[in-house]
Amino acid sequence: MKATAGSGFAARWAPTVLLGGILFYLVAVPLIVLLVSSVKPTGLPLDQGWTLSNYARTYSDPKFYELVWTTFRFAVGASLLALSIGVLMAWLVERTDLPAKGLVRVMVILPMATPPLLLAIGWIMLLSPRTGFINDVLVGTLGLEGAPFDIFSLSGMIFVEALSLVPSTFLILSPAFRNMDPNLEEAAVTSGAGFWLMLRRIVLPLLLPAILAAGAFLMIVGFVVFDIPGIIGMPVGIFVLASHIVYLAHDAAGGMSQYGLISAIAVFFLAILFLLAWTYQRATRQAGRFVTVTGKNFRPRPFQLKGWRWPAFGIVVVYFMLATVAPIGILTWASLMPFYASPSWEMLQNVTLANHEAFFSNRRAVQAAQNSVIIAVVASTLVALLSVLISWTVVRSKAAGKKFIDILSFMPIAIPGVMIGVALIYVYLVFSWTGIYGSVWIIVIAYLTTYISFGSRATHGVMTQLHPDLEDAARTSGAGWLRSMWRVIVPLTLPAILAVWIWVLAHCMRELSSALLLQGNNNRTVPVLLYNYWSGGQPNRAAAVGVWLVVAMLVVVSLWQFLVSRSRVGGAKG
Amino acid sequence: MLEINNLRMEYRSEHVSHLAVDDISLSVRPGEFFTLLGPSGCGKTTTLRSVAGLETPTGGAISINGEPVFSHDRALNVPTQKRDISMVFQSYAIWPHMSVFGNVAFPLQAAGMPSRQVRSKVDDVLSLVGLADYADRSATQLSGGQQQRVAVARAFVKEAAILLLDEPLSNLDAKLREQMRREMRHLQKRVGTTSIYVTHDQDEALSLSDRIAVIDGGNLIELGTPTELYLKPKSTFTASFIGQADLIECQVVGKAADGAKVRTPFGELIAGVHPHLAGSATHVLVRPECVELIDAATHDTNTFDGTITSVMFSGKSVEYHVRLANDFEITVQTPPIVLREAGASVRMHIPPERCVLLAGERRTGIEPRQTAVAA
């Protein structure tokens, strides 16, 4: 009897060692480097000497606690707002007789195609107290003394951030709303409970883990996000964690990057973030436990909205206007203007395509587009491949130490993109001979680390759905590991894996924070170019770049949703 | 107790309408264990859910305890929580976020009962179903049978006028199902609640029910006690759906003292049940277990000679296929006392009082009817 894969000692350890090695390099090395640099006088990990002065300076500074407080308020505010809208949307779409649900779904998910930095820029153009279009209109028509809205505030940042988080919230929550066994609600009614009692005692507690998971996820994003607070808050001195790190790395007084301080701050936030990640993990598992297997499945009776059907539809339309139509509209307008001016009939005669022509002819712009495509394609492909292997190992195989793989692959969800950026700077400044520093590959590595947690969670779901008998049937039919992977597992999970791939592709295309920190002369991405135009005082050029970025994102997001809808009918059980 | 009149349920979507219930009327007596039996998709669950108020029928009327709860013509529809019913679901619908106690206490709390009373009542019901020691367990830690008991306890505790049970045993394995069947019958007799039970399992229906309504294609086919339906069915559908049946084409040729004389492909026999059908009878029903294999001719009539063509031994019985005159094959089931082999010659006797005359074509179609609606 020949030893087969999965039985021998070597075979049991091979996947762990291989994947563990890759993940250790991607996840643990940057974290260790970050920790070491926090106790180095210069902040560079291989330099001489040890010190605690970075910590002393950071934690004795009242400004630090102000930073923590601002970040906290920003994260909580944006999370709560996004959660309220997301819960409402998920309930409306999954459990009520809302009209035109297909269209509603599109209107809730499509805003994902708008990169957050563009949302921020769009809303600055609409609500800036000096030049904002909506403010202008309101002042003009109502005869107000000053602008009624000021986007350059914490509430402005929270508002825009919440708009950008709604699609993800909706996508996390809607399966929970959809999969809840309608018999559980019916059992409450046949037990004599009215609507409100049922909602309070049955529906909400059952959905609580899913809502908690979404909340923890949103809090994590709120803590790590750079683009919206960076664009809206930084110019007026409202700093959150991520924008403060970028400030320390780039623009700090004296021009010297304060790496030691960054690391000391990072350690504090990492502790909070890992706590949140742990909550998220637990809540997700709890939510899974509540999914009950049912025999026959009656279609859930949709809640009758009666007179509220069209008003509810109106709420969705308003969200879509705020999250996509208005900001993209003003961006498109700005991209057609030679200089910045609010929309008006008089300005119509100045419409020009010069900014768009510049985007397609400028050498730097073309290079940025190429970089973005290369980085996005390579990073998303690697993430998809690695995720499948990780999930197969964690969910399916009997590999030793697969728990370790699971944890390592989940950790990056709690590491802000800016921290990964900073850590990679340390690593590849040290290994400068590799030539990775300043190239597109350093950004590819950063994205691999950033998105592996999402990727592997998504493929975990796919692998869990796939009945183990299908793989065993391939084995008993005489297929080896490779053949059963290739002929059975991969084809059955392909649509779902492609959906993961596209999701990562879309996020790589819009990512700003690590790309911004890692930018050199030759590896700028489209969002970085856009950011540089914007912060360099060329809003119209930035707008033109933005319009094309949205077009590209629209294509990718539509493709993604198409694949997601296909993958539901695929070979998965149930 | 429960009156259902001309119930009708038509589901309409954009292009297709589906008639789940065509026209069902029935009335259930107080304290009765009443079963709705039929193949899947026949409309039995829809009927039950209409009684609960979980579906809104498109026609007819329902009243519980003499009080109307639904009437299409009067646009009356009492909400589920205000109806005097309780229900056990096929999936049990045990709330996973509550303990066993929490699940069973819920109906009492919903009714606003003070918590001290709730405690003692729940304890009573839990010990009734044998779960007294499990009150504080999380509902998700229970086995299938225990979850089923929690679901039953939760339904019983409400002390509603009518207990609705939607295939409550179908998710259990065979052994446990039989045990729970016995427990359930015992419990129902003891508590005396009027129960409406939905199942597609004829054994369950026969052993549990006081009366059974056989439903097919959204219509009530036949209503009767288990013995009536099994031994003296009036329709070919009932005859073939409940139990094993040989439906033999026949023609009535005369009268006999204990029934009608009929001609079958393998000879003449006397059928003792429904002889009044006379000329309109098209089939005679013979159940395999009602045929006796005998060694000597001890009867004057209904005795036939044949050859065993195949034997199937299943433990508690042996099934023989016996070829009679004109190569007609009939199935015979006997207890495993005398074992016979294929090829052996046998003589059989079919008691006239177990030969049932039936009128009409044998129905085979049990598909739900779908009709296209003009857009």
Side-chain angles (χ1 to χ4, degrees):
Chain A
M1 186 79 200
K2 185 176 72 167
T4 49
S7 61
F9 178 82
R12 257 165 51 78
W13 280 95
T16 315
V17 170
L18 190 71
L19 284 174
I22 295 173
L23 287 172
F24 187 81
Y25 178 71
L26 286 175
V27 181
V29 166
L31 283 179
I32 293 168
V33 166
L34 209 62
L35 276 178
V36 172
S37 90
S38 72
V39 288
K40 288 289 182 181
T42 57
L44 289 176
L46 287 192
D47 284 1
Q48 290 297 310
W50 303 91
T51 176
L52 284 175
S53 68
N54 290 319
Y55 285 94
R57 261 186 73 188
T58 301
Y59 296 114
S60 63
D61 187 354
K63 284 226 173 96
F64 171 73
Y65 299 98
E66 207 176 289
L67 174 71
V68 174
W69 179 231
T70 311
T71 309
F72 179 77
R73 279 190 299 163
F74 171 74
V76 170
S79 302
L80 283 182
L81 191 54
L83 204 55
S84 325
I85 304 175
V87 167
L88 181 67
M89 300 284 178
W91 180 70
L92 284 175
V93 170
E94 303 294 346
R95 294 320 271 269
T96 72
D97 59 344
L98 190 73
K101 278 192 188 169
L103 181 64
V104 166
R105 199 168 250 289
V106 171
M107 288 196 293
V108 180
I109 295 174
L110 206 61
M112 265 205 158
T114 315
L117 83 152
L118 285 180
L119 203 60
I121 292 175
W123 275 102
I124 289 177
M125 291 175 173
L126 290 168
L127 287 185
S128 151
R130 286 189 298 119
T131 55
F133 177 54
I134 293 180
N135 275 332
D136 281 359
V137 170
L138 288 178
V139 168
T141 52
L142 299 177
L144 300 175
E145 302 234 324
F149 297 109
D150 182 4
I151 190 72
F152 296 110
S153 61
L154 190 60
S155 24
M157 283 156 58
I158 289 174
F159 166 70
V160 178
E161 184 64 44
L163 286 180
S164 87
L165 287 176
V166 167
S168 316
T169 319
F170 174 80
L171 287 173
I172 295 176
L173 288 176
S174 70
F177 278 78
R178 193 183 322 126
N179 295 341
M180 200 170 82
D181 182 359
N183 279 351
L184 294 175
E185 289 158 75
E186 291 175 352
V189 189
T190 60
S191 294
F195 176 75
W196 292 109
L197 186 65
M198 177 185 83
L199 196 68
R200 191 164 56 82
R201 291 281 312 272
I202 308 294
V203 178
L204 281 182
L206 279 172
L207 290 174
L208 195 65
I211 294 175
L212 199 67
F217 172 80
L218 293 173
M219 285 287 286
I220 292 171
V221 175
F223 265 101
V224 304
V225 73
F226 166 73
D227 29 28
I228 288 170
I231 285 175
I232 299 178
M234 260 200 331
V236 291
I238 304 174
F239 284 102
V240 297
L241 163 72
S243 53
H244 189 64
I245 289 179
V246 170
Y247 170 78
L248 286 177
H250 265 184
D251 320 312
M256 269 298 289
S257 296
Q258 310 271 336
Y259 289 129
L261 288 183
I262 293 177
S263 302
I265 296 174
V267 169
F268 177 86
F269 279 97
L270 276 176
I272 297 180
L273 285 164
F274 280 127
L275 197 70
L276 280 171
W278 181 74
T279 313
Y280 172 71
Q281 174 94 322
R282 275 190 63 102
T284 318
R285 200 174 305 146
Q286 186 78 359
R289 226 164 51 85
F290 278 5
V291 174
T292 44
V293 184
T294 64
K296 76 185 140 188
N297 240 326
F298 261 88
R299 280 154 290 152
R301 279 194 318 169
F303 182 82
Q304 310 285 317
L305 291 170
K306 301 202 173 94
W308 285 93
R309 284 184 81 206
W310 290 103
F313 182 78
I315 294 176
V316 180
V317 173
V318 168
Y319 166 72
F320 186 63
M321 298 296 288
L322 295 180
T324 297
V325 178
I328 298 301
I330 191 92
L331 268 176
T332 313
W333 167 266
S335 76
L336 296 171
M337 289 291 112
F339 51 89
Y340 188 71
S342 272
S344 62
W345 293 115
E346 301 86 71
M347 283 305 292
L348 255 184
Q349 55 195 341
N350 295 327
V351 163
T352 166
L353 284 174
N355 297 310
H356 294 270
E357 281 160 14
F359 175 59
F360 283 105
S361 55
N362 183 323
R363 194 185 59 79
R364 275 176 52 198
V366 172
Q367 194 196 21
Q370 283 170 352
N371 286 343
S372 272
V373 170
I374 293 172
I375 291 171
V377 170
V378 174
S380 57
T381 308
L382 289 177
V383 166
L385 281 177
L386 204 54
S387 298
V388 172
L389 285 177
I390 290 172
S391 294
W392 186 83
T393 308
V394 171
V395 177
R396 275 297 149 73
S397 79
K398 298 180 178 70
K402 56 187 190 183
K403 186 91 199 151
F404 172 71
I405 304 279
D406 198 25
I407 293 172
L408 261 189
S409 63
F410 180 66
M411 261 162 60
I413 197 175
I415 312 173
V418 287
M419 282 191 204
I420 290 173
V422 170
L424 290 185
I425 293 175
Y426 299 156
V427 175
Y428 294 102
L429 272 182
V430 172
F431 299 115
S432 54
W433 49 268
T434 54
I436 285 179
Y437 188 84
S439 74
V440 290
W441 307 116
I442 196 168
I443 300 179
V444 169
I445 293 171
Y447 288 178
L448 258 179
T449 311
T450 307
Y451 295 119
I452 196 66
S453 58
F454 168 80
S456 57
R457 286 322 103 170
T459 46
H460 271 20
V462 179
M463 287 284 175
T464 324
Q465 273 197 326
L466 195 73
H467 201 287
D469 285 355
L470 292 171
E471 191 185 340
D472 293 344
R475 296 298 194 88
T476 55
S477 303
W481 181 82
L482 206 61
R483 189 187 293 269
S484 51
M485 276 302 255
W486 185 243
R487 291 285 306 278
V488 177
I489 304 291
V490 170
L492 282 176
T493 53
L494 196 61
I497 293 169
L498 279 177
V500 172
W501 179 73
I502 294 265
W503 187 94
V504 176
L505 190 76
H507 279 71
C508 289
M509 280 169 58
R510 59 181 243 189
E511 207 275 348
L512 177 63
S513 46
S514 30
L516 187 65
L517 280 170
L518 294 170
Q519 68 170 316
N521 278 328
N522 299 315
N523 67 354
R524 285 194 187 92
T525 62
V526 172
V528 172
L529 179 78
L530 205 162
Y531 180 82
N532 290 344
Y533 277 147
W534 172 257
S535 53
Q538 292 179 289
N540 304 89
R541 284 198 147 192
V545 178
V547 167
W548 291 104
L549 183 57
V550 168
V551 170
M553 289 290 292
L554 268 180
V555 173
V556 175
V557 168
S558 315
L559 197 59
W560 171 61
Q561 273 301 303
F562 171 72
L563 287 169
V564 167
S565 66
R566 279 252 327 246
S567 69
R568 285 210 192 100
V569 251
K573 73 169 176 185
Chain B
M1 192 72 214
L2 171 69
E3 299 280 342
I4 298 177
N5 290 308
N6 304 104
L7 191 74
R8 185 181 176 83
M9 181 77 207
E10 196 176 354
Y11 292 102
R12 280 176 175 280
S13 63
E14 271 167 49
H15 307 293
V16 177
S17 93
H18 169 63
L19 192 59
V21 176
D22 181 11
D23 183 357
I24 289 182
S25 299
L26 47 88
S27 107
V28 179
R29 302 170 194 139
E32 199 171 23
F33 197 109
F34 191 93
T35 296
L36 304 174
L37 174 69
S40 59
C42 73
K44 56 191 190 302
T45 297
T46 307
T47 305
L48 190 80
R49 289 170 60 85
S50 300
V51 173
L54 295 171
E55 303 283 332
T56 309
T58 49
I62 301 170
S63 68
I64 294 171
N65 248 342
E67 270 183 50
V69 291
F70 175 80
S71 166
H72 182 257
D73 297 338
R74 287 163 50 198
L76 169 78
N77 191 10
V78 175
T80 301
Q81 66 268 25
K82 302 242 167 74
R83 296 188 184 190
D84 198 1
I85 51 106
S86 58
M87 185 158 172
V88 178
F89 292 82
Q90 185 185 21
S91 66
Y92 314 143
I94 300 297
W95 299 306
H97 60 295
M98 292 182 187
S99 66
V100 169
F101 179 87
N103 267 278
V104 179
F106 186 84
L108 302 177
Q109 291 161 344
M113 186 182 274
S115 59
R116 209 155 23 86
Q117 259 171 286
V118 169
R119 170 63 55 193
S120 74
K121 250 196 113 185
V122 171
D123 286 346
D124 287 351
V125 175
L126 281 181
S127 51
L128 194 67
V129 297
L131 285 179
D133 300 334
Y134 292 82
D136 298 323
R137 288 278 183 94
S138 156
T140 47
Q141 294 169 335
L142 301 179
S143 68
Q146 290 167 330
Q147 289 199 13
Q148 216 269 335
R149 287 198 181 97
V150 175
V152 169
R154 184 175 66 190
F156 266 119
V157 81
K158 197 182 163 193
E159 293 181 344
I162 298 180
L163 178 62
L164 306 170
L165 303 119
D166 184 10
E167 308 216 13
L169 302 182
S170 64
N171 282 347
L172 301 175
D173 60 59
K175 266 252 166 67
L176 197 54
R177 191 154 57 218
E178 231 157 272
Q179 184 197 336
M180 290 304 295
R181 197 191 289 172
R182 228 169 290 133
E183 280 182 28
M184 188 120 47
R185 176 70 178 164
H186 184 68
L187 205 62
Q188 196 267 343
K189 283 288 142 209
R190 211 168 123 190
V191 184
T193 318
T194 310
S195 306
I196 319 289
Y197 190 96
V198 160
T199 185
H200 63 263
D201 182 326
Q202 31 136 341
D203 287 343
E204 232 166 82
L206 291 173
S207 57
L208 281 170
S209 322
D210 293 319
R211 283 195 304 156
I212 300 171
V214 179
I215 294 177
D216 184 43
N219 286 297
L220 179 64
I221 304 294
E222 202 172 339
L223 187 82
T225 65
T227 43
E228 279 168 1
L229 293 181
Y230 193 82
L231 298 176
K232 297 172 180 177
K234 291 196 182 75
S235 80
T236 49
F237 178 79
T238 311
S240 56
F241 187 73
I242 301 181
Q244 245 181 303
D246 269 324
L247 284 170
I248 302 155
E249 281 184 27
C250 73
Q251 206 178 0
V252 175
V253 292
K255 276 187 186 172
D258 44 0
K261 193 180 281 182
V262 297
R263 188 188 299 141
T264 69
F266 56 89
E268 273 189 9
L269 58 75
I270 292 173
V273 183
H274 306 327
H276 59 274
L277 285 174
S280 58
T282 57
H283 291 84
V284 60
L285 161 74
V286 174
R287 299 220 183 262
E289 62 275 20
C290 293
V291 181
E292 303 168 275
L293 293 183
I294 50 175
D295 292 322
T298 49
H299 300 271
D300 305 332
T301 56
N302 288 16
T303 304
F304 306 94
D305 289 316
T307 316
I308 294 177
T309 56
S310 68
V311 183
M312 203 164 78
F313 179 77
S314 70
K316 64 177 179 183
S317 68
V318 193
E319 194 174 286
Y320 302 102
H321 282 191
V322 179
R323 189 183 299 139
L324 301 174
N326 279 332
D327 279 351
F328 193 89
E329 275 207 6
I330 195 166
T331 314
V332 179
Q333 221 178 54
T334 66
I337 299 170
V338 182
L339 296 180
R340 293 157 218 267
E341 280 172 14
S345 295
V346 287
R347 172 164 292 182
M348 64 171 70
H349 175 242
I350 313 172
E353 65 272 24
R354 292 290 176 261
C355 294
V356 185
L357 281 181
L358 295 165
E361 288 298 297
R362 189 177 126 82
R363 289 185 55 184
T364 49
I366 51 174
E367 311 275 301
R369 271 176 285 171
Q370 297 235 335
T371 43
V373 168

